[in-house]
Amino acid sequence: MAVKRKLIKERVPTPERPAEERIRDFKEVNLGYTFELAVKEAERCLQCPANYAPCIKGCPVHIDIPGFIGKLVQYRDDPDKAVKEALQVIWACNSLPATTGRVCPQEDQCEMNCVMGKVGDKVNIGKLERFVADYAREKGIDEELLFEMVPKIEKKGQKVAIIGAGPAGLTAAGELAKLGYDVTIYEALHEPGGVLMYGIPEFRLPKSIVKSEIDKLRKLGVKILTDHIVGKTVTIEELLEEYDAVFIGSGAGTPRLINAPGINLNGIYTANEFLTRVNLMKAYLFPEYDTPVKVGKRVIVIGAGNTAMDAARSARRFGAEVIIAYRRGEEDVSAREEEVEHAKEEGIKFEYFINPVEFIGDENGNVKAVKFEKMKPLEERDSRGKRKIVGTGEYVTIEADTVIIAIGKHPNRLIINTPGLKVERGRIVVDENLMTSIPGVFAGGDAIRGEATVILAMGDGRRAAKAIHEYLTKKRNENA
Amino acid sequence: MYRILEKKELSMRNIWYKIEAPHVAKKVQPGQFVIVRAFPNGERIPLTPVMWDREEGWIVLITFIRGKTTMRMANELKPGDSILNIAGPLGNPAEMEKFGKILAIGAYTGIVEVYPIAKAWQELGNDVTTLHVTFEPMVVLKDELEKAVGRHVLETVPIDPNLDFPTNMKNVTKRLVEKVREMLEKENYDLVFMVGPAGDQKAVFEVVKEFGIPMKADLHPIMVDGTGMCGACRVTVGGEVKFACIDGPEFDAYQVDWDVLIARTGYYTDMEMRAFQEYMKLFEQAVQGGEQ
């Protein structure tokens, strides 16, 4: 018998800290749901069947979204049980839900196809996922689940090396560990997490949360070797002697620079350097932390992607006046809507249709202004569907004492110079199983895509783990 | 975590650390460096393995105490303690060829980076002369260099207590330039190589250029990750932007834009000073508190 239910059109909002308070620190902006609010939001979900649910199709790792949301409603009288059951559903597909719940562009993925969108607001899937992970962590429910899971894992006796402890590598490692493989991650920096640690700021993704999610992978048996630079400390060839398979998740960490005079003046940072100093090295706590960073009175951030928003909003928290300079128009901005809104609320100014042509310095080699050419859009569109732009021959100079370049990144050269590894336009070439030109070596994430998103990298990590499992199962059977 | 096997003061402000770091020891080549993070709230600093034993798995780092991190390491680390992170080896190895007669110059503690390269060049059949110019109490690796290369020239400059440190340093620069000129006038060299402060490298390069001798220099820009992901260490070489950590650290001195390098190296001087002073205040308080 069909149950009659009332549609709740409006989304239950999550509390946020006001802009004037949050620009004074690096603490998290969005405070997330309480259990009561989460249940209220969960009740809005229509519980589409799993084989149909469009939200599941939109999720790159295919979490059973109605499944976990349903648990919150089903066990509403027992919050701990509700969260434990929900987390179990999420963990089947995603080992880092506190992270993805915060940083995924849900509007382009799971939430994009949510049926509720036809009658009202889409279900706030990201914030519900985040709630489950946060509540579980605070109450130790995740530990309990791990404690139950780990002894059930059947060891396969085969070893897999993962290059890079970013979203792709961590996901692949988690999946492979759950399947019983002996997994070791090789990470160049001193902290695992990749862009989650050095790129995404504390106020969007607290580092303690990333660390705790990574610790759970360690409890699944994943070993992490930091300070190991594959290509220098050890080569892929050497890894293949010791391991049965290798996954490359080394990301796209090399910043693109603007080919304009004055690019090496002091005060000009790449977004990677600026964000690494601020996030990974905690330069905003200098001199309590040893790494310095300099943010002047006026900062120009060049670019309008998520990295540009992160850099601009970080700079704002040092008390600077911040301008985002973008060579295209407002409609072409590629950053998430939520981030652009947050940036605007925090008082960041946007200048459109200007393209830097020269960085002007003072007698000490410090930047003091940026000269831009004014651009205009054409009707014609490029391959990504964005309007093409041309210079107008008119120029404008804007003074600034700090400039942050956020125009994109390339895959790291240290990895792609591996002999025998097929690379096109700086990206590692893979087949439909994410296997590279070297048998037994797989790759995913930004290393094969160029700059993309955290969740796409995680999707690749999961797909690669499946492919590696198949590859190694065959290998086991051949040897048996 | 990398255990400190030995620690000793070699000379004024020069500290020797022998550290267990098998992953680096196994692979490092002359010219390569490591990035070290010694404390949980610490920064990442580039240092150069001076010696290593691949089998025993240790490397030797020699630090010159010039700011908070190196001072804190000297004050707080004891043999048996561990260094949190040593990433490496990083950078490209020095070119190992038969260049002929080489003058390898080290200013101050720069000589510790010259040591592994000069030694390897000599072993390869080059005729290497090393020149170390530094303050009198700061001499290091004299015996080791005398053993390793054809000829080791030591030029010391006294520290005049009536002058401030920058003025004293100018005397080192002066002696360095004079001595290099004298040596190049007396003998023909096929290659000059130098490690030292960027200002001194530029001053020496100006002299070498007059003689038209090829010159290589190990550059020391500011580094954060050391793996090519941030560009803090970018330098202009031959009109192009290069990252010293993955394209260098060794470059053709004729191609380097020295003024850009000198400006970039000094960008954080005020903050470095503040970090150092605040640390020393705390350190002095701790020492006095301990004595009471």
Side-chain angles (χ1 to χ4, degrees):
Chain A
M1 201 180 94
V3 180
K4 246 194 194 167
R5 55 185 297 178
K6 198 174 148 235
L7 291 179
I8 309 159
K9 289 184 185 168
E10 275 171 29
R11 191 175 257 212
V12 178
T14 45
E16 271 180 9
R17 297 166 62 221
E20 57 276 16
E21 176 195 314
R22 68 188 194 231
I23 60 166
R24 297 200 197 100
D25 60 44
F26 278 78
K27 286 185 217 138
E28 200 168 15
V29 166
N30 190 298
L31 301 170
Y33 284 132
T34 59
F35 183 69
E36 289 67 32
L37 293 177
V39 171
K40 251 176 104 179
E41 180 65 16
E43 281 178 326
R44 297 180 57 237
C45 172
L46 298 176
Q47 290 292 313
C48 306
N51 58 356
Y52 154 76
C55 55
I56 301 180
K57 291 198 181 78
C59 170
V61 295
H62 306 303
I63 297 172
D64 175 3
I65 293 163
F68 93 78
I69 291 180
K71 301 286 185 189
L72 295 177
V73 180
Q74 189 183 347
Y75 300 109
R76 60 185 311 155
D77 299 325
D78 185 351
D80 288 9
K81 186 176 170 70
V83 166
K84 188 171 175 181
E85 298 267 331
L87 186 63
Q88 210 162 6
V89 174
I90 295 171
W91 267 7
C93 302
N94 177 8
S95 317
L96 311 166
T99 301
T100 51
R102 285 175 167 82
V103 303
C104 274
Q106 286 96 3
E107 65 273 20
D108 299 328
Q109 294 172 332
C110 55
E111 291 175 16
M112 189 163 77
N113 308 326
C114 174
V115 178
M116 274 302 288
K118 289 183 182 146
V119 291
D121 293 339
K122 293 161 182 177
V123 174
N124 201 343
I125 300 166
K127 296 293 192 301
L128 286 174
E129 181 190 28
R130 167 184 161 172
F131 164 77
V132 170
D134 285 357
Y135 184 98
R137 186 180 60 254
E138 281 153 24
K139 292 267 183 146
I141 293 167
D142 48 0
E143 299 283 332
E144 228 177 90
L145 255 181
L146 269 176
F147 190 75
E148 293 166 16
M149 266 168 74
V150 171
K152 290 184 199 145
I153 298 173
E154 204 180 300
K155 295 274 174 227
K156 296 282 195 296
Q158 282 165 304
K159 293 170 78 180
V160 183
I162 310 262
I163 303 168
L170 291 173
T171 303
E175 295 302 313
L176 289 164
K178 280 190 252 173
L179 290 166
Y181 293 98
D182 182 353
V183 181
T184 305
I185 305 182
Y186 287 76
E187 166 58 42
L189 289 173
H190 61 270
E191 288 278 8
V195 77
L196 309 176
M197 284 306 287
Y198 75 76
I200 301 172
E202 183 81 17
F203 55 81
R204 281 217 287 139
L205 178 64
K207 301 306 142 213
S208 57
I209 288 174
V210 182
K211 283 187 191 173
S212 127
E213 294 215 300
I214 293 169
D215 276 344
K216 274 173 226 132
L217 294 181
R218 287 199 175 97
K219 284 178 189 144
L220 277 173
V222 173
K223 291 182 278 286
I224 304 178
L225 290 175
T226 56
D227 309 322
H228 281 63
I229 302 96
V230 175
K232 294 281 182 189
T233 316
V234 61
T235 62
I236 290 179
E237 270 177 341
E238 289 165 325
L239 289 178
L240 280 173
E241 285 167 20
E242 198 185 331
Y243 296 88
D244 297 288
V246 174
F247 174 73
I248 307 173
S250 52
T254 308
R256 282 171 59 194
L257 281 167
I258 296 164
N259 189 12
I263 188 70
N264 287 351
L265 286 165
N266 276 328
I268 303 179
Y269 289 99
T270 66
N272 258 16
E273 180 188 353
F274 181 74
L275 290 170
T276 299
R277 284 179 182 272
V278 173
N279 298 325
L280 181 69
M281 306 311 296
K282 298 205 187 305
Y284 63 93
L285 295 174
F286 179 90
E288 187 194 323
Y289 278 71
D290 291 341
T291 303
V293 71
K294 279 196 179 182
V295 183
K297 286 199 176 67
R298 187 192 268 169
V299 178
I300 295 177
V301 177
I302 295 172
N306 287 315
T307 307
M309 298 305 138
D310 285 344
R313 296 177 65 200
S314 297
R316 186 79 182 100
R317 281 158 172 75
F318 285 83
E321 177 197 351
V322 181
I323 298 167
I324 286 181
Y326 186 36
R327 63 198 176 115
R328 297 173 191 269
E330 188 163 9
E331 64 170 86
D332 304 300
V333 167
S334 60
R336 285 187 68 190
E337 231 169 85
E338 186 185 346
E339 303 311 320
V340 175
E341 276 317 304
H342 278 145
K344 286 181 178 165
E345 282 166 23
E346 289 167 8
I348 289 158
K349 295 189 199 87
F350 286 71
E351 295 282 348
Y352 299 108
F353 293 114
I354 55 171
N355 192 34
V357 291
E358 189 187 348
F359 300 94
I360 301 159
D362 65 13
E363 63 286 355
N364 298 320
N366 296 325
V367 70
K368 63 173 186 185
V370 184
K371 185 179 172 189
F372 292 94
E373 181 174 12
K374 293 186 182 173
M375 311 300 284
K376 67 176 182 200
L378 300 174
E379 283 309 309
E380 210 183 321
R381 295 193 176 252
D382 68 12
S383 55
R384 289 176 304 165
K386 289 187 176 184
R387 286 176 300 174
K388 285 189 175 172
I389 44 168
V390 284
T392 60
E394 275 179 69
Y395 296 89
V396 57
T397 298
I398 305 176
E399 286 184 18
D401 28 28
T402 305
V403 176
I404 302 170
I405 313 283
I407 59 162
K409 291 168 247 175
H410 296 300
N412 197 309
R413 274 186 280 156
L414 288 182
I415 287 287
I416 62 183
N417 287 346
T418 299
L421 188 67
K422 196 175 167 207
V423 173
E424 265 169 30
R425 291 181 300 138
R427 296 171 194 177
I428 297 169
V429 178
V430 290
D431 66 13
E432 66 281 3
N433 292 318
L434 297 179
M435 178 131 60
T436 67
S437 53
I438 305 175
V441 178
F442 297 74
D446 286 1
I448 62 167
R449 296 170 180 276
E451 200 181 3
T453 61
V454 167
I455 191 69
L456 281 176
M458 291 177 59
D460 286 349
R462 196 170 147 76
R463 268 174 64 208
K466 268 192 187 154
I468 291 170
H469 177 47
E470 278 165 28
Y471 172 82
L472 292 180
T473 304
K474 217 168 130 195
K475 218 168 151 180
R476 266 196 316 276
N477 295 339
E478 277 164 13
N479 292 340
Chain B
M1 301 277 272
Y2 307 95
R3 203 154 59 95
I4 299 171
L5 304 170
E6 278 174 33
K7 179 195 169 194
K8 57 189 174 189
E9 194 169 350
L10 292 183
S11 61
M12 191 178 129
R13 290 167 78 177
N14 283 310
I15 314 291
W16 154 294
Y17 302 89
K18 182 171 156 187
I19 307 164
E20 221 170 50
H23 68 306
V24 178
K26 200 175 158 194
K27 282 296 176 67
V28 63
Q29 302 286 339
Q32 292 189 297
F33 64 94
V34 292
I35 294 267
V36 171
R37 193 180 70 115
F39 305 102
N41 60 346
E43 59 180 342
R44 294 166 64 94
I45 61 165
L47 292 169
T48 300
V50 183
M51 301 164 193
W52 50 84
D53 188 308
R54 300 205 197 283
E55 308 245 302
E56 291 178 17
W58 51 260
I59 58 172
V60 167
L61 302 176
I62 298 173
T63 66
F64 172 67
I65 300 174
R66 69 169 292 277
K68 176 176 175 181
T69 297
T70 44
M71 177 60 101
R72 197 173 166 197
M73 286 172 71
N75 285 345
E76 298 177 20
L77 296 176
K78 306 180 298 292
D81 288 347
S82 286
I83 288 188
L84 292 179
N85 302 99
I86 300 181
L90 295 165
N92 295 312
E95 269 183 286
M96 282 300 137
E97 278 174 40
K98 278 189 96 165
F99 297 104
K101 198 168 158 61
I102 303 173
L103 174 60
I105 308 162
Y108 308 97
T109 309
I111 197 70
V112 310
E113 287 174 55
V114 170
Y115 174 77
I117 299 172
K119 182 168 180 275
W121 276 340
Q122 183 76 34
E123 281 164 7
L124 207 69
N126 289 289
D127 175 12
V128 182
T129 301
T130 47
L131 168 64
H132 186 200
V133 184
T134 190
F135 291 120
E136 259 162 15
M138 291 187 188
V139 172
V140 283
L141 299 182
K142 181 172 173 284
D143 299 343
E144 288 83 352
L145 277 159
E146 280 171 356
K147 244 182 275 165
V149 298
R151 181 167 58 131
H152 179 53
V153 181
L154 180 61
E155 279 286 307
T156 58
V157 177
I159 300 178
D160 184 339
N162 300 314
L163 300 175
D164 62 3
F165 203 70
T167 315
N168 268 304
M169 284 180 75
K170 281 192 188 120
N171 290 333
V172 173
T173 308
K174 205 169 140 238
R175 179 72 65 85
L176 188 60
V177 169
E178 284 167 5
K179 188 68 195 174
V180 170
R181 182 177 293 281
E182 184 194 311
M183 291 176 82
L184 296 184
E185 274 168 356
K186 224 186 282 172
E187 280 174 274
N188 291 320
Y189 288 93
D190 300 301
L191 176 70
V192 176
F193 171 68
M194 176 168 177
V195 185
D200 288 342
Q201 284 177 316
K202 184 189 177 190
V204 166
F205 166 66
E206 297 294 342
V207 177
V208 174
K209 196 166 69 171
E210 287 175 38
F211 291 83
I213 303 167
M215 177 172 170
K216 293 163 176 280
D218 254 23
L219 304 191
H220 285 188
I222 290 168
M223 285 189 188
V224 182
D225 64 286
T227 64
M229 60 159 266
C230 86
C233 67
R234 63 191 193 271
V235 288
T236 311
V237 180
E240 279 180 51
V241 177
K242 300 277 182 193
F243 291 4
C245 70
I246 52 172
D247 298 315
E250 186 184 293
F251 291 99
D252 177 355
Y254 285 79
Q255 301 293 318
V256 173
D257 186 327
W258 293 103
D259 295 333
V260 165
L261 178 69
I262 292 165
R264 287 185 68 83
T265 310
Y267 186 50
Y268 295 101
T269 307
D270 52 340
M271 293 180 85
E272 285 164 3
M273 191 57 83
R274 188 177 154 208
F276 182 68
Q277 285 167 346
E278 293 197 13
Y279 170 69
M280 288 314 286
K281 233 188 284 166
L282 288 175
F283 180 66
E284 278 158 23
Q285 281 166 8
V287 169
Q288 280 164 4
E291 278 167 2
Q292 276 164 7

